Amino acid sequence: MEVINPMKFCPECNNLLYPREDKERKILLNACRTCNYTEAAENNCVYRNELRCISAPPVVLRDAYADPTLPRVKGFKCPICTHPKVAFFVANPMESLARTYACCNPSCGHNWRDEDENRG
């Protein structure tokens, strides 16, 4: 079985080579979009991978409280354990900019969203 490596890189500038049609010679080329390097493609198959956005519930991190890079909110308390430190992040910015809050109490770990009515 032949293994085809679909990714090729420019020997001049190391950027990705993309398929391009040479209409005059009727051949497929691998071309660099940065330095205009071209080479004849070894294979005439071009694969297209279309990604579609699938709506899914936001992923809530159970241990978000331990992430030191997440900002903390002052004056907010966890609605479950009333712990005074709460971290926040945007779980899925492609769908909503609503904040997801995470209690910084390791034994609690409660998470809730901006649109929830039970904010502390």
Side-chain angles (χ1 to χ4, degrees), residues 60-63 65 78 81 101-111:
V60 177
L61 304 173
R62 179 73 180 150
D63 57 351
Y65 67 88
C78 174
C81 73
Y101 297 93
C103 177
C104 290
N105 180 356
S107 61
C108 176
H110 176 65
N111 292 288

Side-chain angles (χ1 to χ4, degrees), residues 19-52:
R20 183 189 303 162
E21 178 186 12
D22 183 343
K23 293 183 182 187
E24 291 177 8
R25 298 187 307 181
K26 296 185 180 180
I27 61 171
L28 185 64
L29 300 171
N30 291 323
C32 179
R33 293 181 180 171
T34 305
C35 72
N36 295 323
Y37 171 84
T38 59
E39 66 180 29
E42 296 171 2
N43 190 341
N44 289 331
C45 291
V46 176
Y47 298 95
R48 183 174 170 170
N49 186 12
E50 290 186 22
L51 301 176
R52 297 187 180 155

Side-chain angles (χ1 to χ4, degrees), residues 43-112:
N43 190 341
N44 289 331
C45 291
V46 176
Y47 298 95
R48 183 174 170 170
N49 186 12
E50 290 186 22
L51 301 176
R52 297 187 180 155
C53 183
I54 298 173
S55 180
V59 176
V60 177
L61 304 173
R62 179 73 180 150
D63 57 351
Y65 67 88
D67 187 346
T69 64
L70 291 178
R72 305 299 197 243
V73 182
K74 292 183 180 179
F76 239 48
K77 290 185 179 181
C78 174
I80 302 299
C81 73
T82 66
H83 192 271
K85 290 185 181 176
V86 174
F88 71 91
F89 56 96
V90 177
N92 191 353
M94 298 302 283
E95 289 186 16
S96 170
L97 291 178
R99 288 181 178 178
T100 299
Y101 297 93
C103 177
C104 290
N105 180 356
S107 61
C108 176
H110 176 65
N111 292 288
W112 69 100

Side-chain angles (χ1 to χ4, degrees), residues 6-21:
M7 297 184 68
K8 296 194 74 86
F9 296 91
C10 177
E12 302 290 324
C13 65
N14 293 324
N15 284 302
L16 189 64
L17 295 177
Y18 294 90
R20 183 189 303 162
E21 178 186 12

